[in-house]
Amino acid sequence: MAASCDSLLPLVLLLCLSAQAVDRSNFKTCDQSAFCKRQRELKPGQSPYRALLDTLELSNSRLSLQLINDNNKVRLLLELYRLQGNMTRVKINELKPLKPRYEVPDVLLSDPITEALSVVAQDENSLVVSLGGKDQRLILSAQPFRLDIVEGSQVVMSLNSRGLLAFEHLRTRKDTKSESEQAPGQENVEQQTDEDGQIKEDDDKPGMWEETFKSHTDSKPNGPTSISLDFSLPGVEHVYGIPEHADTLKLKNTDGSDPYRLYNLDVFQYELHNPMALYGAVPVLISHSTDRTMGIFWLNAAETWVDISSNTAGKTMFGKILDFVQVSSEAPQTDVRWMSESGIIDVFIMLGPKPADVFTQYASLTGTQSFPPLSALAYHQCRWNYNDQEDVKTVDQGFDEHDIPYDFIWLDIEHADGKRYFTWDPSKFPQPKEMLQGLMDKRRKLVAIVDPHIKVDSGYKIHNEIRSKNFYVKNKDGGDYEGWCWPGNAGYPDFTNPEMRTWWASQFAYDQYEGSMENQYIWNDMNEPSVFNGPEVTMHKDALHGVWEHRDVHNLYGLYVQKATADGLIQRSEGVQRPFVLTRAFFAGSQRYGAVWTGDNAAEWGHLKISIPMCLSLGLVGISFCGADVGGFFKHPSAELLVRWYQAGAYQPFFRAHAHIDTPRREPWLFGPENTALIREAIRQRYALLPYWYQLFYNAHRTGQPVMRPLWVEYPDDFATFSIEDEYLIGKDLLVHPVTDEGATGVTAYLPGKGEVWYDVHTFQKHDGDQSLYIPVTMSSIPVFQRGGSIICRKDRVRRSSSCMENDPYTLYVALGSQGSAEGELYIDDFHTFSFEEAKQFVHRRLSFSANTLSSRNLAPDSQFSTASWIEKIVIFGGSQPSSATLKSADGTESALEFEFDSTLAVLTLRKPGVNAAADWTIVLR
Amino acid sequence: MTCLHLLLTLVFAVSLGTPVEIQRPRGVPLTKKQFYEESKPFTCLDGSRTIPFDRVNDDYCDCKDGSDEPGTAACPNGSFHCTNAGYRPMFIPSSRINDGICDCCDTTDEYNSGAKCENTCKELGRKEREVLQKMAEITKEGFLLKQQLIEEAKKGQQEKQSKVTDMQENKKQLDEKVEALRTVKETAEQPEKEAKERHLKAWEEQKAAIRLEKDKAKMAETFLELDDNEDGFVSVSELQSHAELDPDADGTLTEIEAQGLMGGAEQVDTSTFESVWPKIKDKYHSEAEEPAPVETPPDEVKEPVVDNDSEPYPEDDISEEEDEDDEDEDDYHEDDDKVMCLCVVQAQPTIKTPEKTHEDEEAMPPYDADTQALIDAAQKARDDFEEAEKALREMDDQIRNIEKELSFDFGPDAEFTYLYSQCYELTTSEYIYRLCPFNRVSQKPKYGGSETNLGTWGSWSGPENNKYLLMKYEQGTGCWQGPNRSTTVKLTCGKETVVTSTSEPSRCEYLMEFTTPAVCQEPANIDPSPHDHVEL
């Protein structure tokens, strides 16, 4: 969906006719964002903050003490917690703020479980706190204040070591001060005095009490409230995360540019390779070195900027080699500085030490990826817009005529009656249930869009109810906030209000949402929120959500929209069915509610290329269910680009083709029979691998491990993998190298792992790990490799939709490692309900091959599920020809299996074991 | 399921009401029955390998071509045959076997999925027969209509052809007439021209005499004005009081300069002033008038002055002179961008205009009777000529139009001719669509608003074997960030000529469905009932 005033207002439209890319002037630079400018003017140096060690309070799990800023005498309260799972939480707030400062709710799963802290040493300027086992300690230095986390004799992370802790305390406005001092009951005035005397207010700087950007003025009734803190990471050269940016996987040094910005914005035709904010924000940064992987989770929902500075960043490759040879005097280090406009400092330091540990730690705080219904992992066909019921029917038939599978067809904003969501255009979609039933008969599904801007129209039930319940966000003067969006003048429900969310969820009930059925799911777009005529195309920061300003909650809005919608889908089925909701805006924790996509990209090779690091970055911070619009949203792709995008998209978690309303139609069969065949094949590869995707999502849901992984996650000691972003792993067993260059006749793939082997899944050819390999490519496919040592289950009988394949048999692809063994998992359940969780109705099996024996063993003996699926075929790569293959069933019966052996490729195929997929069995090769 | 072992089935089919039993493996068409013999090993139809017959339809794919599993979904490239007795037999991809969706109307594709399928073949067959029958009727009637259309078109074409021939004959005559009248006109215009010139010359001479008189009077008047001391001489000092006469334009008229003007004399009397007068008359300002505010010569003022700093002229000045300068202003508008209009207004006025006006007011005297008679005669010749020329042009247009019409591709038998210069409309909930075949397609909002061009006639664009099934209209109004609008018109056989639907499948690419008898094919002389028993 397109998304900006530029495409709506004809006047603006005329002005941008020639604009090919983002109009940067619509969005703030750090210099134009007053607090960022103020904060960035502060240079590293000695911190004015001093810890008052005599205020130390230590309970079993909480350490607190006061900090004082010697320049202005304002006191802060520092709290330290040791959290279960090797994490440390650092909270800093004003000791006695004039009024409460915002603390982000609803993102943490619950209050994190704390562990005991103890002070192991103390002198007049420092405090040493034990962080539990593993020789980890936290050293607190009083003057200047800083924190160092050390393990043994090694510092792993320092806080405020560059003195950039800055906390703008709440203050009364100077020009109104005399007035307020005369007011009765102003006991607060003296709250922050002490033996050192009165608080000395900083001089007012521009933008502290009012800020104007373009034609919008932010009234800032609370004045300056920003916060900042620096983190130093000795030994670290690679940091990742803090999505969403259309940029490289490895974060860049921001010394000479703007910091990375986190502020959910609807950016029209975004540009690649810059730190501008996009639709979503996850304030989590991951650091990695061969020694250790760590994470910093900065829990703040206000506008945030992140500066990254690395002492090796400027060096050329030659310089780095030289350092390596000469043992550089200067150890590598990366410094990270976070700046937010309001709220408090609440930071979770995840100490790893392995990548998997960081993912587990972060998942324990904000939860794991929701487990989608299987069909959501299949192929989605979208377009702005499928015009009417007839169009939907024709496209549906088109897939059958061309024998291409798909599970979901999508309806964009034109389906609703005048962009009144929850309704249907009476002339284009007069019989939505008939349409949905037609899809259901084909075991397919539909997604309709429901955006959070509500048309202000007294004839619209949804609007009337929200208004009468007083659920709208308020403007600074207390009236309902209104802005322009697709329907024209619109109100924005206050999704931060739990009552509002409950009401919103209730609107998805079948008797409320007329025309909806159980095979209809929902898409939340424009939930940054997008306000065409608002500052930076979003909501005014002085708008009000109850007592809080929009400034405080901005980045959280989109998460709440998706949460309320997902809750609605769960409730409409009385808690039985798993929901599927796609969102454009997101925040830390959004993984719990569904899928995200990378917004309004374009039909350009660069956009195809960037989809990989964009989704990898999201996966690192918990959001596994990510995809980019296949084909590119804006503009018209060439047939080659479209085919390459299908091939890449088939190997990304969320696989949906989408197109702008002004582009020519591009259903898979519109580019000639050859391209139709290529696209069909790409989609079929996706369907065949659905069991593997499903098992990985189950794993992500259980453990928080990402589905789509950068190579370094699985090869953390291999420096060569640290910057790779043109290939990646799905789980740990498939390595994918999409083709993202026009006219490419080959790619250079890096196969990691010393002593490991990889098998090309298309040719079955075997390659050694730990090498870069030139792979010639044709248009027929992109390079995909299965790791030697893995077993992947596929359903090779590809049908019209994933539901049709429910009971189909599995083929096991056993890729032997250099030791001649392999392992894998198989997960099966009903594919769409919560029974797997609530009634333990699933099959989870361990498949292992070693010493010429392949067996299936139950990983979840207390679970129960019966499946009709069976084992159809077993393909073993890298083995030798046996003389016999014997199947031993659970009941002890033995039978001989037929097999074929291809000696040139060393591929052994076992014919039709025929055992049920949920059963115990063993196959012995002799 | 694990137990899909032997899938040989008994197929019951209905042929002419008599049940016939033919045994063959599930999913095999009768035409291929011979390759599936239970008593023999099975050889894949591509010949790639031979397998025991019990592996046919055993739910495991042994043949690369999928031929061993015609009745299961085991092979990715297999196909399943359903007999669909009562309707049409068909092949479906084997991936649709037991997928829970009823594809074959005889339900044979869903024998083990639990899908509740009903045999709908009879119903479908009946419906299809009805449709086919109806279609046949329409085709029959439509084809008859088409014959009429062809007849009419042929007749019309012949008529037009002969009309063109006739008109071309007439045109020749007209050509001659025009030429004759041209000669008459030119003959009459020559004496007219000479008489007019004589008249004009006489008037010019008269005007020159008057101007000389005026100049003399002015000179005398000036002499008197200059002769301040009224001594009958104009002295150097008297002349010096008129700084505007300064020849080097340095602002002062020196004694030497004044003397120079006076031909070196100290003073001049009235007669010698005659030689001084020509040197000063252009610059001289009468003492009775106010001194001119600007020195700029009038010709320069008419240049487009793009000087925004200069004082705008007083409004009443402009209004006074607007009429006379109308022509100048129009020229400006043609030559310059509209943004220049401000400057144009400033540039309009001239200083000398009022004086000119006086001269122009002396109108030319009327022609004498002889001249007038010559003029009238010439005018009549001109009118006659122009009338004839106009008639010729109209004739040309008519011929061109008919020729254009004749040049269109109206189909192999000119059956589409009747659509020419017709328009057909369809009103939807929002728009009125209008198709004018061989001309253009347009769309107009139902409740007011301007018409949008959805394309002008481009070409026939149907498939190679029958290009007359699609019309393409191109180069309509442009779309924002998109192509120009275009429309494809799909023609189907119908008794009536009518637009049946419109849609916009892709942004700015319209599709219109249009029925016309002109595309009705000759009905095949066969039984329209379905081939429900072809293979039995």
Side-chain angles (χ1 to χ4, degrees), chain A residues 134-181:
Chain A
K134 280 209 229 156
D135 207 11
Q136 276 184 359
R137 284 159 300 138
L138 184 142
I139 301 167
L140 187 154
S141 309
Q143 190 170 20
F145 166 69
R146 68 181 270 171
L147 297 171
D148 294 278
I149 296 170
V150 298
E151 190 173 296
S153 59
Q154 213 184 4
V155 177
V156 300
M157 190 187 296
S158 306
L159 282 67
N160 200 32
S161 55
R162 291 192 297 150
L164 294 170
L165 167 62
F167 208 108
E168 291 180 331
H169 60 284
L170 290 167
R171 60 200 79 186
T172 43
R173 196 171 185 145
K174 276 181 186 161
D175 52 332
T176 57
K177 202 169 190 177
S178 52
E179 245 173 75
S180 61
E181 271 174 359

Side-chain angles (χ1 to χ4, degrees), chain A residues 17 387 400 403 441-443 661-665 797-800 804 870 872-873 898 900 911-912, chain B residues 1-2 49 55 58-60 62 73-74 93 95-101 103 480 504-507:
Chain A
L17 265 179
N387 300 331
D400 286 343
D403 202 17
D441 291 345
K442 294 264 195 81
R443 306 183 77 174
I661 193 165
D662 286 331
T663 60
R665 294 291 280 239
R797 303 184 179 188
V798 174
R799 301 190 188 248
R800 261 190 283 227
C804 295
W870 48 287
E872 160 172 48
K873 193 196 288 190
E898 267 193 45
E900 276 174 52
R911 189 186 191 279
K912 207 180 178 190
Chain B
M1 297 298 213
T2 58
R49 67 191 293 189
R55 293 198 175 169
D58 73 338
D59 208 15
Y60 185 90
D62 292 288
S95 65
R96 294 182 194 174
I97 299 169
N98 290 328
D99 67 349
I101 301 164
D103 290 288
W480 179 67
E504 189 183 355
S506 197
R507 193 68 159 180

